Amino acid sequence: MRPRVALSLVLAPAIALALSACGASEAVDQAAAAQPGAGTTVYPLVLDNCGAEVTIESAPQRVVSLDQNSTEILLSLGLADRIVGTASWTDPILPALADANAEVPRLADNAPTYEVVLGADPDFVTASFGRHFASGGVAERGRFAETGIPSYLSPTDCDNGESVNGGGTRSTPLTIDALYDEIAELGEIFDVSDRADALIADLQARATAATDEMDAAGASVAFWFADTKTPYVGGGRGSAALLASTTGFANVFSDLADDWPATTWENLVARDPDVLVLGDLQRDRFPGDRLDDKIAFLESDPLTRTMSAVQNERYIALHGAELNPSIRFVDGLEKIEAWWRAHRDEQ
């Protein structure tokens, strides 16, 4: 019998009302993106990017972004007119970026083919997850290099020069600095470092404001991203672990190294977390992607409905992009803090 945590989490079924506050992402400040570039980058720019040397001869004019996370960074930097294709979306665009994104071509809701990417005639390709650059993905980075197209992978997916989602494993926990490094490097690549600095400062201020007073006091939590058959949960070194540690929660799957390892329902039920963070994904790729489907499954399955978090409806809903290392990570912090503030005093 594991001890109960100091923070009181015996909540009423009225928690369902809190979910309405978790369904809409916060806006990203666009003030920085409205300013002209500083023109400070010296080309050719040579970067060591996750074990690959990347040379940028001049600021890219035709970029394909293979993930929603990288797309929303580019849009936040005021680069909509340079994006000739996007792909791999889990959620609707941030409302504050909707107008900028309206004219950006979507090559695929999920991963596009190499031929489709080449059809957009890019001079630069960026991705948040290295699976796109792995064998069986869109194309290996060397194949893009053969056609003279530089490629970039988010530092959030890199560990010791290898892509975590491209077959590697994290040796150290992800930090928020990796996200800020991505923003700074994309700002340098596109010669808009002033905009990148402003975006980083805004995200840092919001993260500080969201966590200044919050302390979940070690209350246990599990992050369920997707799939009702074989649940994918937040492991101990990725973005879910970072959300937990930053807000004071204890991740019940902290012993697993992968970002989103597959587990069994028996394993999750045995760990019996105080709170469940549920991914509300709009992509409809796996059974139970959407929030309503997740809750319906949890409350109807004979095994999962025995969990205390399910019996007391202790759910926090986050969009997929908020569970991944992206600018929406801060939205995730804000939503977790809002849930905690609403329920910390309940007995």
Side-chain angles (χ1 to χ4, degrees), residues 197-216:
D197 292 343
L199 178 59
I200 292 169
D202 177 65
L203 294 173
Q204 288 174 327
R206 288 174 57 198
T208 298
T211 57
D212 253 355
E213 298 181 4
M214 180 175 178
D215 182 5

Side-chain angles (χ1 to χ4, degrees), residues 45-318:
L45 174 66
V46 180
L47 296 174
D48 179 4
N49 177 234
C50 203
E53 183 178 285
V54 180
T55 301
I56 312 295
E57 298 291 347
S58 60
Q61 300 298 311
R62 298 182 59 83
V63 57
V64 165
S65 174
L66 294 176
D67 288 293
Q68 179 174 357
N69 301 345
S70 55
T71 298
E72 291 189 338
I73 291 175
L74 296 173
L75 292 173
S76 297
L77 295 178
L79 299 170
D81 61 339
R82 313 252 197 117
I83 306 174
V84 295
T86 69
S88 297
W89 290 73
T90 59
D91 308 292
I93 186 72
L94 273 170
L97 301 176
D99 288 344
N101 186 60
E103 301 302 319
V104 174
R106 183 174 296 196
L107 304 182
D109 290 337
N110 297 313
T113 65
Y114 176 64
E115 290 72 22
V116 167
V117 173
L118 287 189
D121 191 26
D123 60 5
F124 185 70
V125 175
T126 182
S128 302
F129 302 115
R131 63 175 178 266
H132 296 303
F133 295 142
S135 177
V138 177
E140 295 184 13
R141 299 183 73 174
R143 193 173 181 190
F144 282 114
E146 289 173 358
T147 56
I149 304 171
S151 61
Y152 179 85
L153 178 62
S154 170
T156 63
D157 190 42
C158 188
D159 189 284
N160 289 325
E162 292 186 354
S163 164
V164 174
N165 281 273
T169 301
R170 291 193 194 278
S171 59
T172 57
L174 175 70
T175 69
I176 193 64
D177 288 341
L179 170 63
Y180 297 148
D181 287 345
E182 177 180 11
I183 296 171
E185 287 185 338
L186 287 174
E188 187 177 17
I189 288 168
F190 285 89
D191 201 13
V192 290
S193 289
D194 55 340
R195 306 180 194 177
D197 292 343
L199 178 59
I200 292 169
D202 177 65
L203 294 173
Q204 288 174 327
R206 288 174 57 198
T208 298
T211 57
D212 253 355
E213 298 181 4
M214 180 175 178
D215 182 5
S220 61
V221 66
F223 296 80
W224 177 22
F225 191 83
D227 206 331
T228 55
K229 295 180 180 179
T230 305
Y232 288 85
V233 297
R237 297 178 185 171
S239 52
L242 183 57
L243 281 170
S245 62
T246 304
T247 54
F249 280 101
N251 180 9
V252 298
F253 288 103
S254 62
D255 58 315
L256 302 183
D258 291 344
D259 284 14
W260 295 102
T263 189
T264 65
W265 288 115
E266 290 79 8
N267 191 11
L268 178 56
V269 170
R271 301 190 186 209
D272 194 23
D274 296 309
V275 178
L276 285 168
V277 176
L278 306 178
D280 186 12
L281 316 182
Q282 305 300 303
R283 63 186 185 179
D284 295 326
R285 193 183 305 169
F286 293 104
D289 268 356
R290 294 179 183 255
L291 175 64
D292 289 347
D293 294 335
K294 281 186 170 70
I295 294 175
F297 174 84
L298 289 169
E299 296 181 353
S300 64
D301 182 82
L303 182 62
T304 59
R305 69 187 183 194
T306 65
M307 286 190 289
S308 59
V310 176
Q311 292 176 350
N312 295 284
E313 299 182 21
R314 295 194 295 261
Y315 309 133
I316 303 176
L318 298 184

Side-chain angles (χ1 to χ4, degrees), residues 322-333:
E322 293 162 355
L323 289 166
N324 285 322
S326 73
I327 58 173
R328 293 209 199 186
F329 177 85
V330 178
D331 294 68
L333 290 177

